[in-house]
Amino acid sequence: MTTTTAEPRASATWYDEVDQAPPDTLEALHPSRTRAWARAWQHVRTEQVLAHRHVHLHDPARGIGETVSFHLVPGRGSPYWSRLETDAGSPPVWPGPVLYAGSPHAEYGGAGTATAALSAATTAAGLRLARSLGARAVVHPGLTPGQATALTAAAPAGVTALDLGTDVAFTRSLGADADRWWAGIPQKYRGDARRTWRRGTDAGLTLAPYTGAAALPHLPLFTQLANGTADRHGTRLYGPEMFEHLTDVPGAVLLAARDGNRLVGGFYGWLHRRCLYLWACGIDYRHPAARRVYKWLLAESAHWAIDRGAHTLDLGRANYAAKLRVGCRPQPLRTVVLLPRPDTATTTALGDLARRLGEQALPHLPPGTPW
């Protein structure tokens, strides 16, 4: 008679501070998966973090250890989640505080999903913490479809598990040199992109890359510009302390467009694993060259990254049309919501939110893309 032996479960150990946890054995795929990001987010106030805990998971069958950070936030306490509601024209979803695995601000999540055992431990740990803190939901944002499937499959009986389309990330290959960058832009937009870049340069725009702590003196003004850009989309997203603490994440850079001594725009992001992540953008719309700054800065940032050996550009989320015009590939991102107890009103509201966001996104995605 053949017998099978179940794989051992992953263990979970909680810590108050992320640096108390043992070292992870998995390399962080994205800047937001690094321990430095989790350490920085412990001090963020713009997202109204009421409590943070960190659980170190260990899968003995695979020899994998990874830390997942959870943040308790009031129902209206995450500006990025509020932006999703604003974009969808939906009323507030959450009836009370929620527990985020990471943060919706981060673009990418997915910690604790590398194996089935880790996924089971992640969902169990999050639900246990949510119940102890009185959270109405556990929210895992910024997931690939595979990560979302792993978490929903691991949800225990009696827990509502929702797999929702909420966002789209945009990436493209940089190419080996500037010529390949331009060649990657669709032909119908390429000529305009090159003319705009050339005219910006001729008008005196210069790129000033401020890496790590060198960005700090410039962040108060950049925060104003970034919030001015975000305000045009309906939600104020950033606080200066958010940018300041995240300069500790390795690869942090403020790519600033300058006109003489004046900062007229910038991208804030990270150079991580040969990918340049452009996470936040700010433009001075009072400047006479404002209409060309974004395109000029994007080309200059791409050239800067190529010179440093990067092979991929990640342009973040939202602003679909502009990102498709420079040759980006859209990647839908999912959010898994676990409700510790049945909540029909919240389930309905989340489904409506995802549907409305999908109606906006699908015209910009390849035909047949699931949402």
Side-chain angles (χ1 to χ4, degrees), residues 132-158:
S132 70
L133 295 176
R136 302 296 294 268
V138 183
V139 183
H140 295 262
L143 305 175
T144 65
Q147 292 166 343
T149 298
L151 288 173
T152 54

Side-chain angles (χ1 to χ4, degrees), residues 3 8 14 38 40 42 44 47 59 69 91-92 99 117 122 129 143 164 187-188 219 304 322 328 356 370:
T3 60
W14 289 97
Q42 294 179 165
V44 163
E47 183 168 80
D59 180 349
S69 297
L99 189 66
T122 300
L129 183 60
L143 305 175
L164 308 165
Q187 187 172 4
K188 63 186 296 187
L219 291 180
W304 178 87
C328 283
R356 295 186 185 194

Side-chain angles (χ1 to χ4, degrees), residues 161-217:
L162 305 173
D163 180 354
L164 308 165
T166 50
D167 252 317
V168 181
F170 290 88
T171 62
R172 60 154 286 184
S173 171
L174 285 166
D177 51 35
D179 287 342
R180 299 312 305 163
W181 159 258
W182 295 117
I185 297 176
Q187 187 172 4
K188 63 186 296 187
Y189 304 116
R190 193 180 306 151
D192 175 69
R194 295 197 73 151
R195 282 191 299 273
T196 302
W197 169 72
R198 188 165 52 248
R199 288 170 180 169
T201 301
D202 291 345
L205 294 179
T206 59
L207 183 72
Y210 302 111
T211 56
L216 291 173

Side-chain angles (χ1 to χ4, degrees), residues 7-10 57-61 112 114-122:
E7 288 190 354
R9 295 180 179 179
L57 308 173
H58 180 251
D59 180 349
T115 69
L118 286 178
S119 297
T122 300

